[in-house]
Coordinates of all heavy atoms in Angstrom, one line a residue:
L33 N 66.2 -98.5 -1.9 CA 65.4 -97.7 -0.9 C 65.8 -96.3 -1.0 O 66.9 -95.9 -1.2 CB 65.8 -98.1 0.6 CG 65.3 -99.4 1.0 CD1 65.8 -99.8 2.5 CD2 63.7 -99.5 1.0
L34 N 64.7 -95.4 -0.9 CA 64.9 -94.0 -1.0 C 64.5 -93.3 0.3 O 63.3 -93.6 0.9 CB 64.1 -93.5 -2.2 CG 64.2 -92.0 -2.4 CD1 65.7 -91.7 -2.8 CD2 63.3 -91.6 -3.5
F35 N 65.4 -92.6 1.0 CA 65.1 -92.0 2.3 C 65.0 -90.5 2.0 O 65.9 -89.9 1.4 CB 66.2 -92.2 3.3 CG 66.3 -93.7 3.7 CD1 67.1 -94.5 3.1 CD2 65.4 -94.2 4.7 CE1 67.3 -95.9 3.5 CE2 65.5 -95.5 5.0 CZ 66.4 -96.4 4.5
S36 N 64.0 -89.9 2.6 CA 63.8 -88.5 2.5 C 64.0 -87.9 3.9 O 63.6 -88.4 4.9 CB 62.5 -88.0 2.0 OG 61.5 -88.4 2.8
E37 N 64.9 -86.9 3.9 CA 65.3 -86.2 5.2 C 64.1 -85.4 5.7 O 63.5 -84.7 4.9 CB 66.5 -85.3 5.0 CG 67.2 -85.0 6.3 CD 68.5 -84.3 6.1 OE1 69.2 -84.8 5.2 OE2 68.7 -83.4 6.8
T38 N 63.8 -85.4 6.9 CA 62.8 -84.7 7.6 C 63.1 -83.2 7.4 O 64.3 -82.8 7.9 CB 62.5 -85.1 9.0 OG1 62.2 -86.5 9.1 CG2 61.4 -84.3 9.7
P39 N 62.3 -82.4 7.0 CA 62.6 -80.9 6.9 C 62.7 -80.3 8.3 O 62.2 -80.7 9.3 CB 61.4 -80.3 6.2 CG 60.4 -81.3 6.3 CD 60.8 -82.6 6.5
V40 N 63.5 -79.3 8.4 CA 63.8 -78.6 9.7 C 62.7 -77.5 9.7 O 62.6 -76.7 8.8 CB 65.2 -77.9 9.7 CG1 65.4 -77.2 11.0 CG2 66.1 -79.1 9.7
L41 N 62.1 -77.4 10.8 CA 60.9 -76.4 11.0 C 61.2 -75.6 12.3 O 62.1 -76.0 13.0 CB 59.6 -77.1 11.2 CG 59.2 -78.1 10.1 CD1 58.0 -78.9 10.6 CD2 59.0 -77.3 8.8
F42 N 60.7 -74.4 12.3 CA 60.8 -73.6 13.5 C 59.7 -74.0 14.5 O 58.6 -74.0 14.2 CB 60.5 -72.0 13.1 CG 61.5 -71.4 12.5 CD1 61.4 -71.0 11.0 CD2 62.8 -71.0 13.1 CE1 62.4 -70.4 10.3 CE2 63.8 -70.3 12.4 CZ 63.6 -70.1 11.1
K43 N 60.3 -74.4 15.6 CA 59.3 -74.7 16.8 C 59.0 -73.3 17.5 O 57.9 -73.2 18.0 CB 60.2 -75.6 17.8 CG 60.1 -77.1 17.2 CD 60.9 -77.9 18.2 CE 60.4 -78.1 19.6 NZ 61.1 -79.0 20.5
Q44 N 59.9 -72.4 17.5 CA 59.7 -71.1 18.0 C 60.3 -70.1 17.0 O 61.5 -70.1 16.8 CB 60.2 -70.8 19.4 CG 60.2 -69.5 19.9 CD 61.0 -69.2 21.1 OE1 61.3 -70.1 21.9 NE2 61.4 -67.9 21.3
E45 N 59.4 -69.3 16.4 CA 60.0 -68.3 15.4 C 60.6 -67.1 16.0 O 60.3 -66.8 17.2 CB 58.8 -67.9 14.4 CG 58.3 -69.1 13.6 CD 57.7 -68.7 12.3 OE1 57.9 -67.6 11.9 OE2 57.2 -69.7 11.7
L46 N 61.3 -66.4 15.3 CA 62.0 -65.1 15.8 C 61.0 -64.1 16.1 O 59.9 -63.9 15.4 CB 62.9 -64.6 14.6 CG 63.9 -63.6 14.9 CD1 65.0 -64.0 15.9 CD2 64.7 -63.2 13.6
Q47 N 61.1 -63.5 17.4 CA 60.2 -62.5 17.7 C 60.9 -61.2 17.7 O 62.1 -61.0 17.9 CB 59.7 -62.8 19.1 CG 59.1 -64.1 19.3 CD 57.8 -64.2 18.6 OE1 56.9 -63.3 18.8 NE2 57.5 -65.3 17.9
N48 N 60.1 -60.0 17.5 CA 60.7 -58.7 17.6 C 61.1 -58.4 19.1 O 60.5 -58.9 20.0 CB 59.6 -57.7 17.2 CG 59.4 -57.6 15.8 OD1 60.2 -57.9 15.0 ND2 58.2 -57.5 15.5
E49 N 62.2 -57.8 19.2 CA 62.7 -57.4 20.6 C 63.0 -55.8 20.6 O 63.2 -55.3 19.4 CB 64.0 -58.1 20.9 CG 63.8 -59.6 20.9 CD 63.2 -60.1 22.2 OE1 62.9 -59.2 23.1 OE2 62.6 -61.3 22.2
E50 N 62.8 -55.2 21.7 CA 63.1 -53.8 21.8 C 64.4 -53.7 22.7 O 64.6 -54.4 23.5 CB 62.0 -53.1 22.4 CG 60.7 -53.0 21.4 CD 59.8 -52.0 21.9 OE1 59.9 -51.2 22.9 OE2 58.6 -52.1 21.5
A51 N 65.2 -52.7 22.4 CA 66.4 -52.4 23.3 C 66.7 -50.9 23.1 O 66.3 -50.2 22.1 CB 67.6 -53.2 22.7
K52 N 67.4 -50.4 24.2 CA 67.8 -49.0 24.2 C 69.0 -48.9 23.4 O 69.9 -49.7 23.5 CB 67.9 -48.5 25.6 CG 66.6 -48.4 26.3 CD 66.8 -47.8 27.7 CE 65.5 -47.6 28.5 NZ 65.5 -47.1 29.7
E53 N 69.3 -47.7 22.8 CA 70.5 -47.5 22.0 C 71.7 -47.6 23.0 O 71.7 -47.2 24.2 CB 70.5 -46.1 21.4 CG 70.0 -46.1 20.0 CD 70.4 -44.9 19.1 OE1 71.6 -44.6 19.1 OE2 69.5 -44.2 18.7
G54 N 72.8 -48.3 22.5 CA 73.9 -48.5 23.3 C 73.9 -49.7 24.1 O 74.9 -50.2 24.7
K55 N 72.7 -50.4 24.3 CA 72.6 -51.6 25.0 C 72.7 -52.8 24.0 O 73.1 -52.7 23.0 CB 71.3 -51.7 25.8 CG 71.0 -50.6 26.8 CD 72.0 -50.7 27.8 CE 71.7 -49.6 29.0 NZ 72.6 -49.5 30.0
Q56 N 72.4 -53.9 24.6 CA 72.5 -55.2 23.6 C 71.1 -55.8 23.6 O 70.2 -55.6 24.5 CB 73.6 -56.1 24.1 CG 73.2 -57.0 25.3 CD 74.3 -58.0 25.6 OE1 75.4 -57.8 25.2 NE2 73.9 -59.0 26.3
V57 N 70.9 -56.6 22.6 CA 69.6 -57.3 22.4 C 69.9 -58.7 21.9 O 70.9 -59.0 21.3 CB 68.7 -56.6 21.4 CG1 69.3 -56.7 19.9 CG2 67.3 -57.1 21.4
R58 N 69.0 -59.8 22.5 CA 69.3 -61.0 22.2 C 68.0 -61.6 21.4 O 66.9 -61.4 21.8 CB 69.4 -61.8 23.6 CG 69.5 -63.3 23.4 CD 69.5 -64.0 24.7 NE 70.3 -63.3 25.7 CZ 71.6 -63.8 25.9 NH1 72.1 -64.9 25.3 NH2 72.4 -63.1 26.8
L59 N 68.3 -62.0 20.2 CA 67.2 -62.7 19.4 C 67.4 -64.1 19.4 O 68.6 -64.7 19.2 CB 67.4 -62.1 18.0 CG 67.2 -60.6 17.8 CD1 67.6 -60.2 16.3 CD2 65.9 -60.1 18.1
T60 N 66.3 -64.9 19.6 CA 66.4 -66.4 19.6 C 65.3 -67.0 18.8 O 64.2 -66.4 18.6 CB 66.2 -66.9 21.0 OG1 64.9 -66.6 21.5 CG2 67.3 -66.4 22.0
C61 N 65.6 -68.1 18.3 CA 64.6 -69.0 17.6 C 64.9 -70.5 18.0 O 66.0 -70.7 18.4 CB 64.6 -68.7 16.1 SG 66.0 -69.3 15.3
E62 N 63.9 -71.3 17.8 CA 64.1 -72.7 18.1 C 63.7 -73.5 17.0 O 62.7 -73.3 16.3 CB 63.2 -73.1 19.4 CG 63.5 -74.6 19.9 CD 62.8 -74.9 21.1 OE1 62.1 -74.1 21.6 OE2 63.0 -76.2 21.6
L63 N 64.6 -74.5 16.7 CA 64.4 -75.4 15.4 C 63.8 -76.7 15.9 O 64.0 -77.1 17.0 CB 65.7 -75.4 14.6 CG 66.4 -74.0 14.3 CD1 67.8 -74.3 13.9 CD2 65.5 -73.4 13.3
S64 N 63.4 -77.5 14.9 CA 62.9 -78.8 15.3 C 64.0 -79.9 15.3 O 63.7 -80.9 15.8 CB 61.9 -79.3 14.3 OG 62.4 -79.3 13.0
K65 N 65.3 -79.5 14.8 CA 66.3 -80.6 14.8 C 67.5 -79.9 15.4 O 68.0 -78.9 14.9 CB 66.5 -80.8 13.3 CG 67.4 -82.0 13.1 CD 67.4 -82.4 11.5 CE 68.3 -83.5 11.2 NZ 68.4 -83.8 9.8
P66 N 68.2 -80.5 16.4 CA 69.3 -79.9 16.9 C 70.6 -80.0 16.0 O 70.7 -80.8 15.1 CB 69.6 -80.9 18.1 CG 69.0 -82.1 17.9 CD 67.8 -81.7 17.0
G67 N 71.4 -79.0 16.2 CA 72.7 -79.0 15.4 C 72.5 -78.5 13.9 O 73.4 -78.7 13.1
T68 N 71.3 -78.0 13.6 CA 71.1 -77.6 12.2 C 71.8 -76.2 12.0 O 71.8 -75.3 12.9 CB 69.6 -77.3 12.0 OG1 68.9 -78.5 12.2 CG2 69.3 -76.9 10.5
P69 N 72.6 -76.1 11.0 CA 73.3 -74.8 10.6 C 72.4 -73.7 10.5 O 71.4 -73.9 9.8 CB 74.1 -75.1 9.3 CG 74.1 -76.5 9.2 CD 72.9 -77.1 10.0
V70 N 72.6 -72.6 11.1 CA 71.7 -71.3 11.1 C 72.5 -70.2 10.4 O 73.8 -70.0 10.8 CB 71.2 -71.0 12.5 CG1 70.6 -69.7 12.5 CG2 70.3 -72.1 13.1
K71 N 71.9 -69.5 9.6 CA 72.5 -68.4 8.9 C 71.8 -67.1 9.3 O 70.6 -67.1 9.1 CB 72.6 -68.5 7.4 CG 73.3 -67.3 6.7 CD 73.1 -67.4 5.2 CE 73.3 -68.7 4.5 NZ 73.2 -68.6 3.1
W72 N 72.3 -66.2 10.1 CA 71.6 -64.9 10.4 C 71.8 -63.9 9.4 O 73.1 -63.7 9.0 CB 72.2 -64.5 11.7 CG 71.8 -65.2 12.9 CD1 72.5 -66.3 13.5 CD2 70.6 -65.2 13.7 NE1 71.8 -66.8 14.5 CE2 70.6 -66.2 14.7 CE3 69.5 -64.4 13.7 CZ2 69.6 -66.4 15.6 CZ3 68.4 -64.6 14.6 CH2 68.5 -65.6 15.6
M73 N 70.8 -63.3 9.0 CA 70.8 -62.2 7.8 C 70.1 -61.0 8.4 O 69.2 -60.9 9.0 CB 70.3 -62.8 6.7 CG 71.1 -64.0 6.2 SD 70.5 -64.5 4.5 CE 71.0 -63.3 3.5
K74 N 70.7 -59.8 7.8 CA 70.0 -58.6 7.9 C 69.8 -58.1 6.5 O 70.8 -57.7 5.8 CB 70.8 -57.5 8.6 CG 70.0 -56.2 8.9 CD 70.8 -55.2 9.7 CE 70.0 -54.0 10.0 NZ 69.7 -53.1 8.9
G75 N 68.6 -58.2 6.0 CA 68.3 -58.1 4.5 C 69.1 -59.1 3.7 O 68.9 -60.3 4.1
D76 N 69.9 -58.7 2.8 CA 70.6 -59.6 2.0 C 72.0 -59.9 2.6 O 72.8 -60.6 2.0 CB 70.8 -59.2 0.5 CG 69.5 -59.1 0.0 OD1 68.6 -59.8 0.2 OD2 69.3 -58.2 -1.0
T77 N 72.3 -59.3 3.7 CA 73.7 -59.4 4.2 C 73.7 -60.5 5.3 O 73.0 -60.4 6.3 CB 74.1 -58.0 5.0 OG1 74.0 -56.9 4.0 CG2 75.5 -58.1 5.5
V78 N 74.7 -61.3 5.2 CA 75.0 -62.4 6.2 C 75.7 -61.9 7.3 O 76.8 -61.2 7.0 CB 75.7 -63.6 5.5 CG1 75.9 -64.8 6.6 CG2 74.9 -64.3 4.4
L79 N 75.3 -62.1 8.6 CA 75.9 -61.6 9.7 C 76.9 -62.7 10.2 O 76.7 -63.9 10.2 CB 75.0 -61.4 10.8 CG 73.8 -60.3 10.5 CD1 72.9 -60.2 11.7 CD2 74.4 -59.0 10.0
H80 N 78.1 -62.1 10.6 CA 79.2 -63.1 11.1 C 79.6 -62.5 12.5 O 79.5 -61.5 12.8 CB 80.5 -63.0 10.2 CG 80.1 -63.4 8.8 ND1 80.0 -64.8 8.4 CD2 79.9 -62.7 7.6 CE1 79.8 -65.0 7.2 NE2 79.6 -63.7 6.6
A81 N 80.2 -63.5 13.3 CA 80.6 -63.2 14.7 C 81.7 -62.1 14.6 O 82.5 -62.2 13.7 CB 81.2 -64.5 15.3
S82 N 81.5 -61.2 15.4 CA 82.3 -59.9 15.4 C 82.3 -59.3 16.8 O 81.6 -59.7 17.6 CB 82.0 -58.9 14.3 OG 80.7 -58.5 14.5
E83 N 82.8 -58.1 17.0 CA 82.6 -57.3 18.2 C 81.2 -56.9 18.3 O 80.6 -56.7 19.4 CB 83.5 -56.1 18.2 CG 84.9 -56.3 18.5 CD 85.7 -55.0 18.6 OE1 85.2 -54.0 18.9 OE2 86.9 -55.1 18.5
K84 N 80.4 -56.8 17.2 CA 79.1 -56.3 17.1 C 78.0 -57.5 17.3 O 77.1 -57.4 18.0 CB 78.8 -55.6 15.8 CG 77.4 -55.2 15.6 CD 77.1 -53.9 16.2 CE 75.8 -53.4 15.8 NZ 75.4 -52.1 16.6
Y85 N 78.3 -58.6 16.6 CA 77.5 -59.7 16.7 C 78.1 -61.0 17.5 O 79.2 -61.3 17.1 CB 77.2 -60.2 15.2 CG 76.6 -59.1 14.5 CD1 77.2 -58.5 13.4 CD2 75.2 -58.6 14.8 CE1 76.6 -57.5 12.6 CE2 74.7 -57.5 14.1 CZ 75.3 -57.0 13.1 OH 74.9 -55.9 12.2
E86 N 77.3 -61.7 18.3 CA 77.6 -62.9 18.9 C 76.6 -64.0 18.5 O 75.5 -63.7 18.6 CB 77.7 -62.8 20.4 CG 78.2 -64.0 21.0 CD 78.3 -63.9 22.6 OE1 78.3 -62.8 23.1 OE2 78.5 -64.9 23.2
L87 N 77.1 -65.0 17.9 CA 76.1 -66.1 17.4 C 76.3 -67.3 18.3 O 77.6 -67.7 18.5 CB 76.4 -66.4 15.9 CG 76.2 -65.4 14.9 CD1 77.0 -64.2 15.0 CD2 76.2 -65.9 13.6
K88 N 75.2 -67.8 18.9 CA 75.4 -69.1 19.7 C 74.3 -70.0 19.2 O 73.3 -69.6 18.7 CB 75.0 -68.6 21.2 CG 76.0 -67.7 21.8 CD 75.6 -67.6 23.2 CE 76.6 -66.7 24.0 NZ 76.2 -66.5 25.4
Q89 N 74.6 -71.2 19.5 CA 73.7 -72.3 19.2 C 73.8 -73.4 20.3 O 74.9 -73.9 20.5 CB 73.8 -72.9 17.8 CG 72.6 -73.7 17.4 CD 72.7 -73.9 15.8 OE1 73.5 -73.4 15.1 NE2 71.8 -74.7 15.3
H90 N 72.7 -73.8 21.0 CA 72.6 -74.8 22.0 C 71.5 -75.7 21.6 O 70.4 -75.4 21.7 CB 72.4 -74.2 23.3 CG 73.3 -73.0 23.7 ND1 74.6 -73.1 24.1 CD2 73.0 -71.7 23.7 CE1 75.1 -71.9 24.3 NE2 74.2 -71.1 24.1
G91 N 71.9 -77.0 21.0 CA 70.9 -77.9 20.7 C 70.0 -77.3 19.6 O 70.5 -77.0 18.5
T92 N 68.7 -77.2 20.0 CA 67.7 -76.7 19.0 C 67.6 -75.2 19.0 O 66.9 -74.5 18.2 CB 66.4 -77.3 19.2 OG1 66.0 -77.1 20.5 CG2 66.3 -78.8 18.9
V93 N 68.2 -74.5 19.9 CA 68.1 -73.0 20.1 C 69.3 -72.2 19.5 O 70.4 -72.5 19.8 CB 67.9 -72.6 21.6 CG1 67.7 -71.0 21.8 CG2 66.8 -73.4 22.2
A94 N 68.9 -71.3 18.6 CA 69.9 -70.4 18.1 C 69.8 -69.0 18.5 O 68.6 -68.5 18.7 CB 69.8 -70.4 16.5
E95 N 70.8 -68.3 18.9 CA 70.8 -67.0 19.5 C 71.6 -66.1 18.6 O 72.7 -66.4 18.3 CB 71.3 -67.0 20.9 CG 70.4 -67.7 21.9 CD 71.0 -67.4 23.2 OE1 72.2 -67.7 23.4 OE2 70.2 -67.1 24.2
L96 N 71.2 -64.8 18.5 CA 72.0 -63.7 17.9 C 72.0 -62.6 19.0 O 70.9 -62.1 19.3 CB 71.5 -63.2 16.6 CG 72.1 -61.9 16.2 CD1 73.6 -62.1 15.7 CD2 71.2 -61.4 14.9
I97 N 73.2 -62.2 19.4 CA 73.3 -61.1 20.4 C 73.9 -60.0 19.6 O 75.0 -60.1 19.0 CB 74.2 -61.4 21.6 CG1 73.4 -62.6 22.3 CG2 74.4 -60.3 22.5 CD1 74.3 -63.4 23.3
I98 N 73.3 -58.8 19.6 CA 73.6 -57.5 19.0 C 74.1 -56.5 20.0 O 73.3 -56.3 20.8 CB 72.6 -57.0 18.0 CG1 72.0 -58.0 17.1 CG2 73.1 -55.7 17.3 CD1 70.8 -57.5 16.2
R99 N 75.4 -56.3 20.0 CA 75.8 -55.4 21.0 C 75.9 -53.9 20.5 O 75.9 -53.6 19.3 CB 77.3 -55.6 21.4 CG 77.5 -57.2 22.0 CD 79.0 -57.3 22.4 NE 79.1 -58.7 22.9 CZ 79.7 -59.7 22.1 NH1 80.0 -59.4 20.8 NH2 79.9 -60.8 22.6
D100 N 75.8 -53.0 21.5 CA 75.9 -51.5 21.2 C 74.8 -51.1 20.0 O 75.1 -50.7 19.0 CB 77.3 -51.2 20.7 CG 77.4 -49.6 20.6 OD1 76.6 -48.9 21.3 OD2 78.3 -49.1 19.9
V101 N 73.5 -51.5 20.3 CA 72.4 -51.4 19.3 C 72.3 -49.9 19.0 O 72.3 -49.0 19.7 CB 71.1 -51.9 20.1 CG1 69.9 -51.5 19.1 CG2 71.2 -53.3 20.4
K102 N 72.1 -49.7 17.6 CA 71.8 -48.4 17.1 C 70.6 -48.5 16.3 O 70.0 -49.6 15.9 CB 73.0 -48.0 16.2 CG 74.4 -47.9 16.8 CD 74.5 -46.8 17.7 CE 76.0 -46.9 18.2 NZ 76.1 -46.1 19.6
S103 N 70.0 -47.4 16.0 CA 68.7 -47.3 15.1 C 68.9 -48.1 13.8 O 68.0 -48.7 13.3 CB 68.3 -46.0 14.9 OG 69.3 -45.2 14.2
V104 N 70.1 -48.1 13.2 CA 70.3 -48.8 12.0 C 70.2 -50.4 12.1 O 70.2 -51.1 11.0 CB 71.8 -48.4 11.3 CG1 71.8 -47.0 10.8 CG2 72.9 -48.8 12.2
D105 N 70.2 -50.8 13.3 CA 70.2 -52.4 13.6 C 68.7 -52.7 13.4 O 68.5 -54.0 13.6 CB 70.8 -52.7 14.9 CG 72.3 -52.4 15.0 OD1 73.0 -52.8 14.0 OD2 72.7 -51.8 16.0
A106 N 67.8 -51.8 13.4 CA 66.3 -52.4 13.3 C 66.0 -53.2 12.2 O 66.7 -53.1 11.1 CB 65.5 -51.0 13.2

């Protein structure tokens, strides 16, 4: 028998968000399968948890919180 894994799809895609400089912004997306590993990227750079970035995942919802937003974070 050959089993093919169901592909993971976006149920809710990432939306643009606006924030004032110095504040924080929360980006969220929803996947079709809970617990799917998510990699957040800015261009070719992978973002990792730090004082600047907080990465959360609850079931099918993945969140990226960017603290102290600057224009270079666009």
Side-chain angles (χ1 to χ4, degrees):
L33 289 173
L34 184 63
F35 294 96
S36 63
E37 196 170 324
T38 305
V40 177
L41 305 171
F42 284 107
K43 288 174 69 177
Q44 176 193 329
E45 297 209 8
L46 195 59
Q47 301 294 311
N48 287 327
E49 297 288 343
E50 289 187 18
K52 292 186 177 182
E53 265 196 63
K55 300 295 183 183
Q56 73 176 29
V57 67
R58 179 184 311 262
L59 302 172
T60 63
C61 62
E62 187 174 0
L63 307 167
S64 60
K65 189 173 178 182
T68 303
V70 171
K71 185 189 311 183
W72 290 94
M73 300 181 71
K74 182 177 189 290
D76 294 330
T77 305
V78 177
L79 305 180
H80 299 283
S82 64
E83 285 186 20
K84 177 80 171 174
Y85 303 113
E86 183 177 351
L87 291 71
K88 295 181 175 183
Q89 197 163 354
H90 310 284
T92 58
V93 177
E95 291 182 312
L96 169 66
I97 298 166
I98 305 173
R99 298 185 185 96
D100 191 21
V101 173
K102 305 286 185 203
S103 59
V104 295
D105 295 316

